[in-house]
Amino acid sequence: MRLRRWGTALTLLLLMTALPGTALAPAAAATTAPPAPRPLPRLFDNTAVSDNSRPGAADFDGAGRSLSAQDLAAAGWSPGTVLTLDGARLGWPRGAAGTPDNVRADGQAVAVRGRGDALTFLVAGTGGQVTGRGTVRYRDGSHSTYELTAPDWRSGPLSTKAVALPHVNGPDGQSAGPARLYAVTVPLRPGRAVASVVLPPAPPAAAAALHVFALSVRDNGRGRTGSWAASTAGYRAVGPWRDRTVRLVVHSGAGGPRARIRIANTFAAAPVAIGAASIAVRGAGAAADGRPVALTFRGRAGARIPAGAELFSDPAAFTVPADTDLLVSLHLPGTVTAAPVHQEAAQLSYVSADGSGDRTRDPDGGAYPQTMAFWPFLTGLETDGGPGSIVALGDSITDGVKSTSGADRRWPDVLARRFQAQHTLPRYGVLNHGISANRIVTDRYQGDGVSTDTGGVSAQHRLERDVLAQAGARTVVVFEGINDVRSGTPADDVIAGLRALAGRAHERGLRAVAATLTPCGGYPDCTPAVEARRQAVNAFLRDGAGQGAFDATLDFDAVLRDPAAPARMLPAYDSGDHLHPGDAGLRALGESIELRTLVPGRTLAP
């Protein structure tokens, strides 16, 4: 014992005398140096997934409960599956059930590489919702902090979940769920290459934990421009469609070389198979102008999209002409009984006969005897290059309800044509993410299960998917709130929601522009109380561009209102229901916008 103490004392003496004045610095540095980054799977210290035959082989939450491997497989989340969630590619852990598959965040350094706009985590909280702050380290030596919130795996919101599973496994067997996992995205410093990510520290509550299954850097396509888009508004019954092809009519905004489509299985509980896909310029009806060009998915003709995920095609050698009807055809080889849809397409599309198989390459429309007025699965079309996209986040007025079907007379269509017709400013694409009946504060569709409600989850809950993850997004125009005030939501809550949308857009480097709420006097539920709430929201938006929340305000109210009766729409612009403008009113909105107001870096133009 004495010899050991003498050796320790001698070591300390040598340390103190070797470098006078800095003797203890090396030892101190050694105790405070950050841990070396390691790949995430090497940090796994918790097991969340068990096989139904051995439900007690995993303990996700500290109480012996876990996720069912069979439920995950039924959702298409098998070990090693690559999931695309909100534009980010994430790998579901490869290990078999009963082996470690996630890490409980406690300051670990994770080796991550990439350059993009955001960092996406696949997470869940146990013991309640968990929030913590972590650090991103960049290859140039700089760093930034982030705040990560993991909703609870049992009680978190269904409207923002990546996937929901029907059961929970435990030591005594299986019980009813649901269990939930979440994709959560945080901003990165633009243009900087990520070197590593330090996870948040463990939460103070002993029973709580923030679990990370996967993470990756997301690039939302700064080298791409969105030409067309539609939001998933709900998950509704269809068909059943058995081995059919859907031929969807969409209208391009921006043109450009090479086309890439986005297909979404949002809100679904099961995977969907895509047997083949194609794109073509539309001729007449369901007929193509020439032979459709085949699309591939990582070099293959088809792919399977897991529940809640999305799929991008490979860029195809197809030049997208601006302001043109296109046909996107998807072969569905299995039986489809429900689908994520955009309900109010204001456009007829086509469906082949039951059992007709792959008709994606048919140039004529003879195989498509049926029509539909909604868009299933397809949510986007992008081109290579270009200046990026303006995203219109709105409700039925942006969606084009009451506009002439098939004529592309929504106000974002008008705006897209104006951008393409000029050469002074960047010729942005304009993406229409309006959903009829949508709200800012509350969900219409609750985000899970087959439903007849296709009003979508709230603008807050869909902002990541429908705006921040869109190809080359530069500016968002928020034109929502009339459905909130009509449903009784206090004006202060609507204003708080608008502030939150603007704040999140700014956090990601987007320009945020708002539009005032248009009049609805004469519509059955537009009472004096609704008008008072509408005026309060508009007063906020007009006051210094939303009191500093927004970069600019578009006064759509002033464009449409009747000067003789300001609570009502000008009759020439009214579709007849006193809430939705018709073609003339939508054209007036699209033409009223000073294009420079939407260009990032411009000053206020209220």
Side-chain angles (χ1 to χ4, degrees), residues 62 66 91 106 208 260 268 287 295 354 358 393 451 455 475-476 498 505 554 585:
S66 59
D106 191 14
R260 184 174 86 152
L295 298 171
D354 218 30
D358 178 10
L393 183 69
S451 173
T475 298
V476 58
L498 287 165
L554 308 175

Side-chain angles (χ1 to χ4, degrees), residues 11-41:
T11 301
L12 289 172
L13 180 62
L14 289 172
L15 285 171
M16 294 175 67
T17 56
L19 292 172
T22 59
L24 294 180
T31 60
T32 60
R38 301 173 65 192
L40 186 67

